[in-house]
Structure formats: structure tokens, C-alpha cells
Amino acid sequence: MMRNGMDYAVAVRTSDDTIEVNKDKIKHNRDTVNKIPIVRGVVAFVDSLVLGISTLMVSAEYFEEEDDKKDKPDVDIATIESTNNSDNEDAKKNKINTAEMVFTIVISFIIAIAVFMLLPYGLSKLLVNWIGSPSLLALIEGIIRVAIFIAYVAAISCMQDIKRVFMYHGAEHKCINCIEHGNDLNVENVKQSSRFHKRCGTSFLFIVLIISIFVFMFIRVDNNFIQLGLRLLLVPVIAGISYEFIRLAGRYDNKFIDILSQPGLWVQRITTKEPDDDMIEVGIKSVEEVFDWKEFLEHFDEPSNDNGTESCAKKQNCTE
């Protein structure tokens, strides 16, 4: 999946070795919100969650349809052309897909809260009789949270289907890096590009975990339920701060930014894998649906209108 501004495209290689592309637009306009720091990060976080799950469901539908075709017996052409029934079926399918997506998001959110919020908090509280410093307990809680996150990602990376997802993830990064380094978007150039990228969602989540450690250190309330409530309420704020850092890291290259970006890039060693040529071709197709990379490369070395020093390459807004 590639997104550029309000446009996004999902490219899928089907069983007959063709690449199907589903292009769409994000329906709501975020021009006003995008001007408000922190708030735009919260909105972007929710957008990414919904868009990520919905695009995965879109890709899965291709194979569900192929399975249905295999299971169905041959029918008369006149039956196929009966539009009323097909329209009703499509409407029902859309309702079911929306319900499935909402259910998936809700369940995912509940599990995430339980595993990454409640569990680390509960484990850190087991040490309260030996550690009297609230700040130190918050630090231990944060370290436990990071350890659980890394262990979870490492565990699911062993699953065959997830391995393929991570290979496609690597293809997305390599396609974006290829363009941002001023190279033509083709398989050979993409293969030579890095699979690590500062604007990655993995880096965003990891930065959220790191920033949460420092934010939660300032929560000094004795009541456990209030502590948990404040942690939940501060998650959007932390997400907003993390987004601002990722946005900054994606636009500028300097030693300080590179050092701060390294932890997220390290985690990408797990969440991205080297793709094969077929996967790269799918990534290229997705990019070309939402972004004119040839026009971009024509102006690659021109300064931007911001301050005359930032390359146009940094104005690239194509993300996976």
C-alpha cells in the first residue's frame, strides 16, 4: 500500500500472476488539522490504523473472490448478467466488511491496551515494595513495555504469512528510498536501495513507547485506577509528539536526527525483510498509481520554496 497526500493505492499480485490495483481517496479533508502540531499526529495515527486494517482486508478479498469462483459451478451467461442480485450482494458485502473492520479495530485496541499498558503497569507494581521511587518504577514499566513490544514483533515474524507481509513492507521502503535518492523506479534500482526508512510506522510506534516512558514519569498519583486512566488519556498526546518527531526526521538529515532515529531503524530489522523481484514489482505499481516519480526526479535537485536550502527530495510525501 502506498499513500501520497489524500490518495492511496493497494496493489495485489493475484494467483494468475497479474497485479491488481485498487486506488481510492481518503474521504475527509485534513487541511485545517494538518496545520495544528500534535493534533495532526493524533489524527494521522487514527487514519493509519484504519487505513492499514482496511487495505489488508482489501487485499484478502481478492483471494476470497478467487476461492468463491473455484467453488461455484458453471452458470449461464444470462444469470451472470443479472445485476439486481449482484448489487444487493455487493451492498451486503460492504456492510459486512465495514462491520468486520470496526470489530477488528475495537478488538485490536482492547488487546493492545491489555498487553502494552495494563501488563507492564501491573508487573512494575510488583516491585513497589522494593523500589520507592515513582520515576524509577515508571522507567522499569517503560522498559518492560518495550521488551514486550519487541518480543511480540519478533514472535509474529516467525509466522509464514507475516514474513511475507514484512517482505512487502521492505519492498515499500525500498521503493520510497529509491525515489528519494534520485534514482529511476525500476526493479534493479529498488533492489539496491535500503529497506529502512525514518518515516516508517514501526519507528513511529517505537518512538511512542520511548516518549511514553518520560511522560509517565511525571504522573504522581497514588490511586492505581487514576494512574491507569491518565496513561490512557495521554496516549493521544504521546502519539502527537511522536508524529512531530517522525515528521521532522523524514524532512531533515543531520547527525542528531540520525542518532535519535536509530532505535526505530533497529526495530525495522525485524519488521522489514528483503523482498523478491515479484514483490518489488507490486511495490512499484502501487507507487506509480499515486505518485508521478518521473516528474519528481526532473526537479530533484531544485531547492524548495521554504528556505532555499532544503532539496525538493525532502518534499516527497509518499508513504507506506
Side-chain angles (χ1 to χ4, degrees):
M1 187 275 288
M2 290 290 176
R3 174 179 171 181
N4 182 30
M6 304 297 286
D7 298 321
Y8 69 93
V10 182
V12 179
R13 185 178 292 278
T14 60
S15 58
D16 61 359
D17 206 33
T18 60
I19 300 176
E20 298 286 341
V21 182
N22 187 347
K23 183 179 178 181
D24 205 346
K25 281 183 173 288
I26 295 175
K27 302 300 187 291
H28 58 278
N29 193 314
R30 281 184 9 197
D31 288 345
T32 302
V33 173
N34 282 339
K35 298 176 182 178
I36 308 174
I38 308 298
V39 174
R40 61 191 174 196
V42 178
V43 176
F45 176 73
V46 175
D47 275 354
S48 298
L49 178 63
V50 174
L51 187 59
I53 293 176
S54 63
T55 51
L56 281 174
M57 293 178 68
V58 167
S59 63
E61 285 175 9
Y62 281 97
F63 297 96
E64 289 177 1
E65 290 173 0
E66 290 177 2
D67 290 339
D68 289 342
K69 289 177 182 178
K70 290 178 182 178
D71 294 337
K72 287 180 181 179
D74 293 335
V75 293
D76 187 80
I77 296 178
T79 305
I80 297 176
E81 293 178 347
S82 177
T83 57
N84 290 335
N85 289 336
S86 64
D87 288 343
N88 291 334
E89 288 178 4
D90 288 342
K92 289 179 181 178
K93 188 175 182 179
N94 288 334
K95 288 182 179 179
I96 292 173
N97 288 342
T98 301
E100 286 179 350
M101 186 177 69
V102 172
F103 178 78
T104 302
I105 291 174
V106 171
I107 294 299
S108 300
F109 183 75
I110 292 173
I111 293 174
I113 292 298
V115 174
F116 298 112
M117 295 294 290
L118 300 183
L119 181 59
Y121 179 78
L123 292 175
S124 68
K125 283 300 180 182
L126 295 177
L127 304 174
V128 71
N129 292 329
W130 293 275
I131 300 176
S133 170
S135 296
L136 184 55
L137 280 174
L139 176 61
I140 293 172
E141 177 192 348
I143 293 173
I144 293 173
R145 185 176 293 111
V146 171
I148 291 174
F149 174 74
I150 294 175
Y152 167 77
V153 172
I156 65 173
S157 69
C158 297
M159 300 169 61
Q160 193 60 39
D161 288 343
I162 299 300
K163 278 184 180 179
R164 288 187 59 80
V165 171
F166 286 172
M167 290 172 73
Y168 274 110
H169 190 194
E172 292 170 339
H173 283 193
K174 290 169 82 74
C175 286
I176 296 173
N177 278 322
C178 177
I179 299 171
E180 291 187 342
H181 285 82
N183 299 316
D184 287 348
L185 191 63
N186 56 53
V187 173
E188 288 305 314
N189 286 341
V190 171
K191 285 172 68 175
Q192 296 173 17
S193 301
S194 172
R195 75 175 198 263
F196 310 119
H197 199 282
K198 294 177 184 177
R199 289 200 306 273
C200 175
T202 302
S203 294
F204 174 75
L205 289 176
F206 196 74
I207 293 298
V208 167
L209 296 179
I210 298 300
I211 292 178
S212 69
I213 295 176
F214 299 100
V215 174
F216 292 163
M217 281 183 176
F218 292 96
I219 298 179
R220 302 296 178 89
V221 182
D222 293 331
N223 187 289
N224 290 334
F225 291 104
I226 295 177
Q227 281 190 357
L228 282 172
L230 289 174
R231 278 164 166 72
L232 293 176
L233 290 174
L234 285 171
V235 166
V237 178
I238 295 169
I241 296 172
S242 303
Y243 174 83
E244 295 302 322
F245 172 78
I246 292 294
R247 191 168 181 266
L248 182 69
R251 290 174 65 88
Y252 300 102
D253 285 326
N254 57 61
K255 290 292 184 182
F256 180 68
I257 292 293
D258 287 344
I259 291 172
L260 294 179
S261 300
Q262 281 306 309
L265 297 177
W266 291 335
V267 179
Q268 287 181 42
R269 295 183 180 278
I270 304 175
T271 63
T272 64
K273 302 297 181 184
E274 287 295 333
D276 57 32
D277 290 2
D278 287 349
M279 293 177 174
I280 291 174
E281 289 175 357
V282 175
I284 291 174
K285 191 71 174 177
S286 184
V287 171
E288 290 178 336
E289 283 294 319
V290 297
F291 186 70
D292 188 348
W293 61 268
K294 292 181 180 179
E295 181 183 357
F296 170 76
L297 293 183
E298 288 178 3
H299 307 283
F300 181 76
D301 292 322
E302 294 179 7
S304 72
N305 293 326
D306 291 339
N307 53 27
T309 58
E310 185 186 358
S311 168
C312 275
K314 296 303 175 187
K315 307 301 286 184
Q316 155 76 320
N317 192 36
C318 195
T319 58
E320 45 76 32

